[in-house]
Amino acid sequence: SYGFTTNYAAAELIATNGLPVWQDYLAGLNPTNPASRFSVSTAFAPGQTPQILFSTVATRTYRVETATSLGDWSVLRDEIPGTGGNILFIDNRVLSGVSTVFYRVAVY
């Protein structure tokens, strides 16, 4: 439906919107629309409650994960339904004594 009619194996690797087409599809994005993007940002300073803002697609589900060192991820919240708009996730855990926190958002 996005103009790919032959050589689908090669087409899925074409980078559009900064992602390969197969990742655009997985995220529910339109690979032919440069404004169709998946974005994640954080908004907090040391000592404040971490907030993660991410864009969603209504037909997708999301998961927020965290780690204090890369490679050791745990799920904070799963099965977050997409709304078609942005979702603000607030990490209300007590993080005293933690010097570094990483976040990532998965879409499926």
Side-chain angles (χ1 to χ4, degrees):
S1 66
Y2 295 113
F4 303 110
T5 58
T6 60
N7 200 354
Y8 298 114
E12 72 182 13
L13 298 176
I14 296 170
T16 61
N17 304 336
L19 299 172
V21 168
W22 72 269
Q23 287 181 342
D24 279 336
Y25 173 77
L26 186 65
L29 305 175
N30 178 345
T32 63
N33 179 351
S36 182
R37 294 195 170 272
F38 177 61
S39 63
V40 178
S41 61
T42 57
F44 65 96
Q48 293 181 335
T49 302
Q51 299 180 16
I52 300 90
L53 182 69
F54 58 96
S55 60
T56 69
V57 174
T59 58
R60 297 295 191 253
T61 304
Y62 299 82
R63 176 178 57 245
V64 176
E65 300 175 347
T66 188
T68 54
S69 64
L70 293 177
D72 189 23
W73 296 96
S74 62
V75 176
L76 280 178
R77 183 156 175 218
D78 201 358
E79 298 184 19
I80 303 168
T83 63
N86 291 327
I87 290 180
L88 178 64
F89 178 84
I90 299 172
D91 184 357
N92 288 314
R93 298 175 301 155
V94 175
L95 296 171
S96 59
V98 175
S99 60
T100 304
V101 180
F102 299 96
Y103 294 96
R104 69 181 179 187
V105 178
V107 56
Y108 55 97

